[in-house]
Amino acid sequence: MNHWLWELNFGRLPAEELYNVAVDPDCMTNLALDPTWASRREAMQRQLFAGLEKQQDPRMAGQGAVFDGYPHLNQPRYYERFMQGDLQPTPWADATDFEKPGFDPERPLQPAVSK
């Protein structure tokens, strides 16, 4: 089955990620929960939070939802228009980006046909 590939690409990310890119350049082994790396993770978290507080990032005051309300080009949002049946062109997406009817991420991918 290829479900793990789907999860790897589209699944939810863990709350925290930490990778040693010197030995794991593809970032496949998350070290965030490894006790050996706890002090490094905590130091990096302190540095991140200090920077966000200095920038007065709304997320540091529990106001992260403000990002969901920003208008986009003074037009109704794409999702709302789509849900109302207004199918707008999507120049940022190619027709091959959309799943075909009946797509099932649990079903194994078909092997490539060699020519």
Side-chain angles (χ1 to χ4, degrees), residues 2-22:
N2 296 315
H3 180 67
W4 69 274
L5 290 172
W6 191 93
E7 280 295 326
L8 186 62
N9 287 283
F10 304 107
R12 300 193 98 185
L13 296 173
E16 293 183 345
E17 295 179 90
L18 178 66
Y19 300 97
N20 183 351
V21 294

Side-chain angles (χ1 to χ4, degrees), residues 37-49:
W37 290 86
S39 62
R40 171 65 63 95
R41 183 188 56 76
E42 291 164 3
M44 292 174 75
Q45 185 181 57
R46 282 191 302 274
Q47 181 181 2
L48 171 66
F49 287 0

Side-chain angles (χ1 to χ4, degrees), residues 24-92:
D24 181 19
D26 295 323
C27 299
M28 299 300 290
T29 304
N30 185 1
L31 303 170
L33 299 178
D34 184 335
T36 308
W37 290 86
S39 62
R40 171 65 63 95
R41 183 188 56 76
E42 291 164 3
M44 292 174 75
Q45 185 181 57
R46 282 191 302 274
Q47 181 181 2
L48 171 66
F49 287 0
L52 291 173
E53 286 176 3
K54 182 177 179 181
Q55 298 169 21
Q56 298 179 342
D57 189 294
R59 292 171 288 198
M60 297 309 294
Q63 302 297 319
V66 70
F67 294 108
D68 296 330
Y70 289 147
H72 183 264
L73 300 176
N74 295 324
Q75 298 175 359
R77 298 169 79 183
Y78 178 81
Y79 177 76
E80 284 79 11
R81 292 192 326 255
F82 176 82
M83 293 307 291
Q84 293 172 357
D86 184 9
L87 303 179
Q88 297 289 315
T90 54
W92 62 87

